[in-house]
Amino acid sequence: MRNGFAVFFAVLIALGGSWLGFVVAPAIQLGKAKQAVILNSADTWPLQRTGDATLGLQIYRANGCAACHTEQIRQDGVAAEITLTGLGNSKPDDFKAFVQSLFVLPELVKVTNNLAATLQDWKGDLPATILTTDDRAVAEAMADRLKAAGVKSETHIVATGEDIPRWGIRRSVAADFLYDDPVQLGSLRVGPDLAGVGARLPDANWQLQHLYAPKLSVTNSAMPSFKFLFDVRKTGSAPSPDALNLPKEFAPAAGCEVVPKPEAKELVAYLLSLRADAPLYEAPFTPVISAKP
Amino acid sequence: MNPAETDQVCTAKIDASCRVPLLALFGGAALWLVVGLLLALLASLTFHAPEMFAACPFATYGHLAPAANDLLVYGFAIPAALGVMLWIFARLSQAELVLPILPIAAANFWHLGVFIGLITILCGGSSGFTWLEFPRAAAMLLGVAFVLIAISAVGTFGQRKERELYPSHWFLLAALLWFPWIYSAANLFLVTPTPVRGVTQAVINWWFANNLVFVWLALVGVGIAFYFLPKLSGRPLQSRFYALFAFWTLILFGAWTGIPQGAPVPAWLPALSAVASVLLVVPLLAIEIVACRTAWGSVRSKWDNGSFCFISSGVDFFFISGLLLVAEACPQFSRVLEFTWFGVAQVQLQILGFSAMILSGAIYEILPRVMAAELPFKGFVKAQFFLSIFGVALFVIPLAVAGVKQGRAAYDPAAAKLWLMISTTGLLCLLLGSLLLAANIFVMTMKWKLALAKTVIAYIKSPLEAPEKISEVKP
């Protein structure tokens, strides 16, 4: 390269390409995104946050919570789960014999070992998940056979992966962050992922206690205490209804109570608004209402 | 080497023209390096005792860690790199710095911007975007300062006698164009009253973060190394063709890396990014080959030179840091490594291992020349070198191990705790090393200022005593 213009054009091509690809293209593809429709429902996703939760997002930002927490659940794939809900007229042993008679079918060869292992431990309690497979054809074949035999079963689509169901029931998708500003996905899990924390730990009092004294509920927590989001004050004649209920070792001096400041309540409102629990086109699953124990 | 550089007549004048701008840039940079490492050390103490700073809101990990990172990159790496770049441009052009007042003003704007940014982050005013935490006011100051320095740099570049570009020119000029583009684009899309919506914010943030911390630091680091390695080892760059190849592949592939694999974004983004990351092995190898072939052929005594040790090890650290980046992007490894300390290890190796080492080496080489004086503490160079090597090893290796352990143990915080505690000692070594650099720069600046003050006082006093002696007062 002989002069400065050559370098200029090199940068124009290299950085311009990546600018078009990673800045302009996503802005076009996602910039006009609207609320998504929840599967098998007329409702839309995500919900607009309440005022408190919107303010809480700013508390989350100001305290740099994203330095230690992610808001993205990963998923390997989906699986079909066949759950037995009723045996009709047959007894558990008859059912086991019936399933064993299906093992010769070519479409079920892949899952015979799993089925046999599951049924060996099964004592006849209902509902029971007898088969989990990522092969749709297998799941459909099995469900058809069960139906033909007069056994009641439900087929659920479930998300699979290391993060599931530990931190959420499905992966995070772009639609979840429509109302976030700033979007704080985080890149380091010193603490747990929070994308589904509102569904996982929905008790606001638990969240407040955890912010005040992390070691109270999680013994080996690495989280610093956020005591500066709380007021410790004299109980006086009119105790605050908001005061935290703390065990002795974490409680303040006698005659004092710990009252969350508005910031703490807003932060908790934000945390509880993080749910990621609606089935969407790009992250399908069957919402479980009653079938699971 | 650039043949035009053989002319030594005006070298002293060229060096002198860089003196004040470089002192302004390096002085602030050294200060921010010390403060940044201090904040990083405080943040690291959180792992030993999480409750330590519970009472003060501005000292929680979430405040200290981004502040420390920003100080290391915006406070130290960028101004120091710009200073070195100005000097290299002046030397390669065989011309005095054009409009030296611009970089002097810019250095003050820049460091003021960093100061505003630091205070804002500690007070909870961070924008919430990684590497873009600074508020708009600070970002504007940084942008203006960068453009001012770029004007002076490009002006000096235009004065060159030898029209053919030297390989360092490509890398450094590209860096000059790179930063305004990414910084303005990211700030205009994200840190405004009307940012883009939804997860696009995260994509642009990753694009910026990677282009700043990986590509920009790589461009200036490699550009500086390609200037100093031939000088210090007494051999020409081996070879120009490899360097050209490295330059093109680095900017073509590097610009597309950085989107994490599990991100909740359209799948083509992480897929494209993974391909680019794996291809990044090509420029990494090319740069390492150029550096090794240039440095190996000469006599062993070059290791006596502290700057050579710094720059040569810096290039090796870049190679390792790049390989860590590639490992992170491979889908089969990213399942374990994503969201762990491994990513932090890579970024810190890039900043403190690669960038800071090369810049420290370059500063030690440049300072005595532009000041026309010996370093006040020559022994500190080697001492800082060994402290940096130990520091980087003790900081980055435990973090990487912590990352793997954490990923294997399904993000159990207990799995990484011991290793995080070890990493604190590495930061302590790095902090001590940075104090040595700061001591050299500050003592040198003070000596120069005292000499200047003496001259001025002598000048003021002299007419009263003996007017004919004015001409004898030496600066």
Side-chain angles (χ1 to χ4, degrees), chain A residues 1-35 58 61-68 70-77 161-163 166-167 171-175 177-191 193 212-215 220-228, chain B residues 46-47 50-51 53-57 60-63 65-66 121 123-129 157 160 163-165 169-170 173-174 177-178 181-182 185 189-190 193 195-204 206-207 211 240 244 247-248 251-252 255-260 262-266 268-269 272-273 334-336 338-341 344 406-414:
Chain A
M1 294 200 289
R2 298 201 152 259
N3 58 40
F5 288 108
V7 178
F8 176 77
F9 284 115
V11 170
L12 195 68
I13 293 166
L15 185 55
S18 103
W19 178 73
L20 286 175
F22 283 173
V23 177
V24 178
I28 293 170
Q29 187 179 3
L30 298 167
K32 294 204 172 86
K34 293 198 178 77
Q35 286 180 316
Q58 299 306 328
R61 168 192 63 72
N63 286 292
C65 303
C68 296
T70 53
E71 285 182 16
Q72 30 181 339
I73 298 166
R74 293 172 305 179
Q75 175 176 335
D76 291 335
E162 200 190 336
D163 296 353
R166 185 179 179 199
W167 283 322
R171 70 195 179 102
S172 299
V173 295
F177 305 94
L178 192 63
Y179 293 130
D180 287 17
D181 182 27
V183 173
Q184 299 168 91
L185 296 177
S187 60
L188 181 59
R189 282 179 180 168
V190 183
D193 187 280
Y212 181 76
K215 290 209 162 47
N220 64 347
S221 173
M223 184 165 93
S225 159
F226 287 83
K227 287 199 167 113
F228 55 86
Chain B
T46 309
F47 306 125
E51 305 291 325
F53 302 117
C56 37
T60 57
Y61 185 81
H63 288 89
I121 295 176
C123 294
S126 146
S127 75
F129 298 108
F157 169 75
R160 68 195 189 283
R163 300 312 290 176
E164 177 87 6
L165 299 193
H169 271 135
W170 313 329
L173 269 182
L177 297 166
W178 213 268
W181 190 334
I182 58 170
F189 277 109
L190 300 178
V196 288
R197 292 163 68 227
V199 86
T200 316
Q201 288 186 353
V203 179
I204 295 176
W206 286 318
W207 172 80
N211 269 304
R240 192 184 164 88
L244 181 63
F247 173 71
W248 267 104
I251 59 172
L252 276 180
W256 290 88
T257 55
I259 310 281
V265 294
W268 64 271
L269 291 163
L272 196 57
S273 204
S334 85
R335 263 300 187 229
V336 177
E338 197 176 16
F339 305 140
T340 69
W341 288 99
V344 181
Q406 188 195 3
R408 289 254 178 92
Y411 307 105
D412 177 11

Side-chain angles (χ1 to χ4, degrees), chain A residues 117-259:
Chain A
T118 316
L119 286 179
Q120 202 168 14
D121 302 335
W122 182 59
K123 303 282 189 306
D125 43 332
L126 290 174
T129 301
I130 55 163
L131 176 64
T132 305
T133 171
D134 55 2
D135 190 333
R136 190 176 159 172
V138 172
E140 278 174 0
M142 187 68 192
D144 288 347
R145 301 283 162 178
L146 292 179
K147 196 177 174 189
V151 175
K152 281 187 190 161
S153 73
E154 289 177 7
T155 307
H156 294 160
I157 304 294
V158 292
T160 59
E162 200 190 336
D163 296 353
I164 296 164
R166 185 179 179 199
W167 283 322
I169 45 183
R170 63 149 169 88
R171 70 195 179 102
S172 299
V173 295
D176 296 344
F177 305 94
L178 192 63
Y179 293 130
D180 287 17
D181 182 27
V183 173
Q184 299 168 91
L185 296 177
S187 60
L188 181 59
R189 282 179 180 168
V190 183
D193 187 280
L194 298 180
V197 72
R200 197 170 78 229
L201 298 160
D203 181 358
N205 285 321
W206 187 95
Q207 297 284 1
L208 284 169
Q209 275 181 354
H210 188 58
L211 284 175
Y212 181 76
K215 290 209 162 47
L216 168 60
S217 38
V218 184
T219 342
N220 64 347
S221 173
M223 184 165 93
S225 159
F226 287 83
K227 287 199 167 113
F228 55 86
L229 296 176
F230 296 82
D231 278 328
V232 178
R233 62 189 189 203
K234 286 255 162 16
T235 310
S237 55
S240 165
D242 288 341
L244 293 192
N245 184 11
L246 295 165
K248 214 168 197 179
E249 50 188 311
F250 295 98
C256 290
E257 59 182 4
V258 179
V259 183

